[in-house]
């Protein structure tokens, strides 16, 4: 499998029916003092093959076949203890530039 060169949320119809991939984030997450306890998230912005990816402490994206040299961004989310967490990670040449908060909502 070739490394992903660009990630885009604006994919074709295939994207809409894709399965979720799992993302583990070992980076500190902005916007809350208590991010999800287990740090596991879901995304449809990667391959959509039920694979597991990790945003490592040193800011790289590790996939099932090694580190990915990506430039682009993807969103990932989790729902835990009635709180929706959604973030967007931005990569350039395989290195994390930043993680933005998209939404953190407490359901009532």
């Amino acid at each position: 499998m070739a490394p992903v060169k660009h990630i885009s949320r604006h994919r074709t119809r295939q994207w809409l029916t894709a399965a979720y991939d799992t993302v583990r984030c070992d980076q500190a997450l902005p916007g809350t003092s208590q991010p999800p306890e287990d740090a596991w998230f879901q995304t449809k912005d990667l391959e959509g093959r039920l694979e597991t990816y990790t945003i490592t402490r040193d800011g790289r994206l590790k996939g099932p076949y090694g580190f990915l040299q990506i430039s682009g961004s993807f969103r990932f989310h989790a729902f835990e203890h009635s709180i929706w967490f959604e973030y967007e990670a931005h990569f350039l040449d395989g290195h994390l530039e930043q993680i933005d908060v998209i939404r953190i909502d407490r359901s009532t």
Side-chain angles (χ1 to χ4, degrees):
M1 179 171 161
V4 176
K5 292 187 175 26
H6 180 72
I7 296 173
S8 173
R9 290 190 323 276
H10 308 288
R11 293 194 181 181
T12 63
R13 191 173 139 215
Q14 177 186 1
W15 177 81
L16 296 173
T17 61
Y20 283 98
D21 288 312
T22 301
V23 176
R24 175 165 178 82
C25 186
D26 291 339
Q27 289 280 320
L29 292 168
T32 182
S33 60
Q34 294 185 355
E37 293 173 6
D38 61 10
W40 290 96
F41 298 86
Q42 291 183 329
T43 185
K44 281 194 172 185
D45 290 352
L46 296 171
E47 294 292 319
R49 297 183 182 168
L50 301 173
E51 302 283 7
T52 300
Y53 296 83
T54 301
I55 301 173
T56 64
R57 289 181 192 259
D58 65 347
R60 298 174 69 195
L61 184 63
K62 185 176 182 182
Y65 306 103
F67 290 101
L68 304 176
Q69 296 298 314
I70 65 167
S71 290
S73 59
F74 67 92
R75 289 187 181 189
F76 54 100
H77 61 269
F79 187 75
E80 184 176 280
H81 304 297
S82 299
I83 302 173
W84 176 265
F85 297 91
E86 187 172 359
Y87 299 95
E88 187 167 32
H90 303 275
F91 286 84
L92 180 63
D93 298 327
H95 296 280
L96 181 67
E97 290 193 311
Q98 68 185 43
I99 297 176
D100 294 327
V101 174
I102 300 303
R103 191 171 86 197
I104 299 174
D105 284 334
R106 178 176 289 281
S107 297
T108 54

